[in-house]
Amino acid sequence: MSETIGYLLNDSARLFRRAFDARTRDTGITALQWRVITYLKRHEGIRQGPLAELIEVEPITLSRMVDRLAEAGLVERRADPTDRRAWRLYLTARAGDMLGAMRPIAEKLTEEATEGLSAAEVDQLVTLVEKVRANLSRREYLKETV
């Protein structure tokens, strides 16, 4: 029986997370925390609700992760100037240093995962997976707005 694309993508993502967690165990940062930090790097100042939607976790789950990252001195909450009830999230200088130190680990993992593929094949794989993600995101978005 051949495996479906959904199964292959999901299983590959699970294996990526497990390998990442094994390689970063000494840092105390998990793959999901790394994901939060990298999203914050791209969306500095985002509020917790939209960030939870981006990484597809429940707001309470994200709040707990942000609590841990804040305790570790990697993320800080700042009051939203337009909404007294909301917080905006920012990376600290320490998080920037950690991103720099962990980037080679993530790059090495990607190299290992794509071993045996040419540069053109890696580019094609990225393009195809981005299309799949865009297709699923668009359909989910259209479904919610209809």
Side-chain angles (χ1 to χ4, degrees):
M1 180 177 120
S2 64
E3 295 171 336
T4 66
I5 187 106
Y7 177 84
L8 290 170
L9 288 172
N10 190 46
D11 203 39
S12 296
R14 179 187 60 80
L15 292 168
F16 251 103
R17 282 188 305 274
R18 186 170 70 181
F20 184 89
D21 286 345
R23 286 166 173 77
T24 61
R25 188 168 288 124
D26 294 344
T27 67
I29 298 296
T30 66
L32 189 52
Q33 289 171 327
W34 171 256
R35 196 165 166 224
V36 170
I37 291 169
T38 56
Y39 268 90
L40 280 176
K41 176 74 174 166
R42 292 183 205 135
H43 305 283
E44 193 105 29
I46 192 170
R47 289 174 22 175
Q48 284 186 198
L51 180 59
E53 289 176 24
L54 271 176
I55 64 171
E56 297 183 357
V57 298
E58 292 297 320
I60 189 68
T61 302
L62 177 66
S63 183
R64 290 181 186 132
M65 283 192 296
V66 170
D67 287 345
R68 284 191 292 278
L69 292 170
E71 288 171 13
L74 299 171
V75 172
E76 64 180 34
R77 289 180 174 103
R78 296 182 196 161
D80 185 328
T82 62
D83 183 348
R84 292 184 339 184
R85 300 165 296 164
W87 296 97
R88 295 204 174 260
L89 303 174
Y90 295 86
L91 294 178
T92 64
R94 183 168 185 234
D97 294 342
M98 180 172 280
L99 278 168
M102 291 180 68
R103 177 74 50 210
I105 296 169
E107 289 170 356
K108 178 72 172 153
L109 177 57
T110 299
E111 284 177 25
E112 290 174 19
T114 57
E115 185 177 335
L117 298 178
S118 70
E121 288 172 322
V122 171
D123 288 344
Q124 183 180 26
L125 176 61
V126 169
T127 298
L128 294 172
V129 172
E130 284 176 342
K131 285 182 182 179
V132 169
R133 181 178 64 183
N135 288 341
L136 293 171
S137 295
R138 183 174 53 250
R139 287 192 184 118
E140 186 173 282
Y141 177 75
L142 290 174
K143 180 181 170 188
E144 291 174 4
T145 60
V146 172

